[in-house]
Amino acid sequence: MCVDCGCGKPPGISGPQETASISLLQNLHQQNQDLAAHNREHFSSAGTLVLNLMSSPGAGKTALLEATLRTLQKHYRCAVLEGDLETELDAQRIRALDIPVVQITTGSACHLDAQLVHNALHGMDLAEIDLLFIENVGNLVCPASFDLGQHLNVVLLSVTEGDDKPAKYPVMFRTADLLVISKLDLLPHVGDFRIDRAENFLRALASPAPIISLSARSGAGLDEWLAWLHAHKAQSPVDEARVVENGGAG
Amino acid sequence: MTRWRGAVMHELSLCRSLLRQILEVAEQHRVLAVTVVRLQVGPLSGVEPELLKTAFPLAAAGTLAESAKLNLTATCIEVYCGSCKKRSRAASNQLSCTSCGSCSTQLVSGDELILESVELTLDELSAIKCP
Ligand SMILES: Nc1nc2c(ncn2[C@@H]2O[C@H](COP(=O)(O)OP(=O)(O)OP(=O)(O)O)[C@@H](O)[C@H]2O)c(=O)[nH]1
Ligand SMILES: [Mg+2]
Ligand SMILES: [Zn+2]
């Protein structure tokens, strides 16, 4: 049998049009996953906790970041990576808060990938950043399949989108380490969004992710979200690794 | 932006990386053409098979794979339940255990996106080169 290609053909049989079947079993996302793992190493060795924010367009990712960073910047050195199809508008909103922000304009690409994030890292000094928020392109489909090297995925679902979205976009909602139900102030106006139904749909995806309902507008629920962030920052593997290191040295 | 535009772009960029992988293999052999490309696509892979079929010829145009047939096999979703130690079939938005209803299952299969194999037409020299 051909040892070069494993084509299974007995040796010596030749013709002008030889065919071969080659078994490959390669993961199509492998290249992105390898690069994402590489990014994660960068983040972890710098002690930066990285969160990937995903949602449909307009669910309130930037508004949540604005509301969050106002408080959070008193405790941590924060930075933001903004993924956007066409504009710098979101980056400008974050910059107005005096938070370092790197804009990734994806042009026609519908999602960030590990390569785009890696390129953007050259524009920031991770050693100076405790918490990095990546705002992904508003899209409930594509970003779900691309690991960026983040530590945690936060998926937002605004009450105006309907409580059935976890059932309709299982690939996205399965990735969530936290589900944020956003625009809670609009709940009375929408009327038929039920948080318990959204939760049932999420649990049907075998997801144990906690759910936090909040409003970036009114501030309701923000304390719980901030507490979740603090808790993850405190127990991130990064910090544990450091504690172990220090323990070993002392 | 519309979901359509995003989705097509997504499948197109996947096809580009698929072609990179195929043409890498083709380069290692003396290949006249890639005739068949077999993929395994799980319902939870995030990829629309129909869009993949649309995007493939666009990405393959002008390469050795331009007349290749894209052969897609849909894999099944299977979950493993830690409580009753059973594997069961599941649907993409109903991944709990069918026996006991537990929601703490693990996905065994259904999210894969795998380049399974390719079929190639080799030229004479390469066929002789096989030991
Ligand atoms: N009432 C209300 N409106 C909100 C809230 N959060 C965001 N909005 C509004 O929703 C719209 C979209 O908010 P953004 O923060 O830009 O949403 P986004 O997810 O960043 O949007 P893209 O980046 O374009 O995907 C804006 O008009 C916001 O003012 C909220 O908590 N309550
Ligand atoms: Mg935004
Ligand atoms: Zn069970």
Side-chain angles (χ1 to χ4, degrees), chain A residues 40 42-51 69 71-80 99-100 124-134 149-152 229-239 242:
Chain A
R40 200 170 282 116
H42 273 307
F43 297 143
S44 297
S45 65
T48 310
L49 181 70
V50 181
L51 297 101
L69 292 169
T71 312
L72 212 59
Q73 72 186 137
K74 294 177 197 140
H75 304 275
Y76 302 113
R77 297 167 299 173
C78 302
V80 175
I99 300 281
M124 44 178 53
D125 181 5
L126 286 178
E128 299 295 314
I129 301 169
D130 301 315
L131 272 168
L132 173 65
F133 294 90
I134 304 177
Q150 75 283 340
H151 299 106
L152 295 162
L229 285 172
H230 282 297
H232 277 277
K233 180 60 191 160
Q235 50 160 266
S236 60
V238 176
D239 294 352
R242 280 184 176 171

Side-chain angles (χ1 to χ4, degrees), chain A:
Chain A
M1 153 165 156
C2 169
V3 287
D4 282 348
C5 62
C7 61
K9 293 274 186 267
I13 295 183
S14 61
Q17 291 261 301
E18 190 76 6
T19 63
S21 175
I22 300 183
S23 168
L24 295 163
L25 293 178
Q26 294 172 359
N27 179 354
L28 283 193
H29 286 302
Q30 198 60 52
Q31 201 184 12
N32 186 70
Q33 281 171 6
D34 292 346
L35 206 54
H38 173 79
N39 288 350
R40 200 170 282 116
E41 271 170 33
H42 273 307
F43 297 143
S44 297
S45 65
T48 310
L49 181 70
V50 181
L51 297 101
N52 177 22
L53 269 61
M54 297 183 283
S55 78
S56 60
K61 299 178 292 300
T62 312
L64 178 60
L65 281 178
E66 289 173 306
T68 306
L69 292 169
R70 267 183 215 112
T71 312
L72 212 59
Q73 72 186 137
K74 294 177 197 140
H75 304 275
Y76 302 113
R77 297 167 299 173
C78 302
V80 175
L81 249 173
E82 277 291 346
D84 203 322
L85 286 165
E86 308 283 358
T87 73
E88 284 246 3
L89 296 172
D90 287 357
Q92 284 161 10
R93 284 162 66 184
I94 303 297
R95 213 167 275 136
L97 301 171
D98 238 350
I99 300 281
V101 52
V102 174
Q103 166 79 36
I104 307 176
T105 310
T106 58
S108 58
C110 43
H111 56 269
L112 293 177
D113 63 27
Q115 180 72 59
L116 288 170
V117 168
H118 189 262
N119 296 348
L121 293 184
H122 295 302
M124 44 178 53
D125 181 5
L126 286 178
E128 299 295 314
I129 301 169
D130 301 315
L131 272 168
L132 173 65
F133 294 90
I134 304 177
E135 179 177 341
N136 218 311
V137 179
N139 179 335
L140 277 182
V141 182
C142 314
S145 311
F146 292 86
D147 188 357
L148 307 178
Q150 75 283 340
H151 299 106
L152 295 162
N153 279 327
V154 178
V155 181
L156 279 77
L157 169 61
S158 58
V159 298
T160 51
E161 292 170 73
D163 50 26
D164 56 359
K165 290 303 164 290
K168 291 187 177 174
Y169 298 89
V171 180
M172 170 59 76
F173 284 91
R174 274 186 73 232
T175 69
D177 296 299
L178 171 72
L179 175 65
V180 166
I181 294 179
S182 61
K183 308 193 188 180
L184 193 61
D185 58 299
L186 298 180
L187 191 60
H189 306 283
V190 175
D192 63 352
F193 185 102
R194 281 178 36 201
I195 294 171
D196 61 329
R197 271 191 12 129
E199 170 152 24
N200 289 341
F201 283 127
L202 184 70
R203 298 296 165 240
L205 304 180
S207 166
I211 299 177
I212 297 176
S213 306
L214 54 77
S215 165
R217 183 70 57 84
S218 74
L222 282 183
D223 285 348
E224 200 186 339
W225 151 248
L226 289 168
W228 183 87
L229 285 172
H230 282 297
H232 277 277
K233 180 60 191 160
Q235 50 160 266
S236 60
V238 176
D239 294 352
E240 274 166 31
R242 280 184 176 171
V243 171
V244 172
E245 242 171 59
N246 295 343

